[in-house]
Amino acid sequence: MRMSGPRRGYWCECWTESTATDGQAGPQLRASFDAYSAPQADRWVAVALRTISPALNTHASVEAWEWLYEGRVRTRRALLQMQPCTVSVTHADTRITWTIRPVLFLPLAHRQAAELPACTHDFKPRQTD
């Protein structure tokens, strides 16, 4: 999407985190999405929850469907007031959390019609071991 100036929207993320106390790694970012309206942002979470709900345990599935039927309205209302929102379900020892934050998207320079500077051809990625 091409923008000519700053545009309001929502930055959406999906994180997972182990709830086990065995010292595993912290939260892991699984997906992100830029939404340009409150309905688009909460729809991203709703589609994900509907998609994974058949694989969730009973408790997590109930949490998911409660948000889909009741919590989604509160989430949409909060987003329209430009407030951040969080939706979480816990399946076995994994917490899945979706966050939606109001943001201001800034336009980036469009590179396709412009010649890149000569130094870009000298760039060599550094090898890491």
Side-chain angles (χ1 to χ4, degrees):
M1 170 173 280
R2 188 169 173 153
M3 296 185 289
S4 59
R7 183 170 178 191
R8 291 190 183 275
Y10 303 89
W11 183 248
C12 311
E13 295 176 334
C14 178
W15 293 82
T16 58
E17 182 176 18
S18 174
T19 58
T21 57
D22 59 1
Q24 291 187 5
Q28 301 289 313
L29 179 64
R30 300 298 177 182
S32 60
F33 178 70
D34 52 328
Y36 292 92
S37 68
Q40 188 180 28
D42 79 64
R43 189 177 317 117
W44 184 69
V45 177
V47 167
L49 280 172
R50 284 189 187 110
T51 302
I52 68 169
S53 67
L56 297 174
N57 62 30
T58 303
H59 178 72
S61 184
V62 167
E63 285 181 306
W65 286 101
E66 282 178 354
W67 181 82
L68 285 164
Y69 285 120
E70 296 172 14
R72 189 173 179 188
V73 172
R74 288 188 302 274
T75 297
R76 173 91 51 99
R77 193 174 300 128
L79 292 175
L80 290 170
Q81 295 172 359
M82 300 306 283
Q83 297 173 356
C85 297
T86 302
V87 178
S88 292
V89 297
T90 302
H91 170 74
D93 64 351
T94 302
R95 179 177 302 112
I96 307 165
T97 302
W98 291 267
T99 60
I100 306 171
R101 294 186 310 268
V103 296
L104 191 59
F105 290 110
L106 301 175
L108 299 176
H110 185 61
R111 299 186 333 172
Q112 291 179 343
E115 181 70 29
L116 294 175
C119 63
T120 60
H121 302 292
D122 296 335
F123 176 73
K124 303 287 186 257
R126 189 177 85 160
Q127 298 295 322
T128 59
D129 297 327

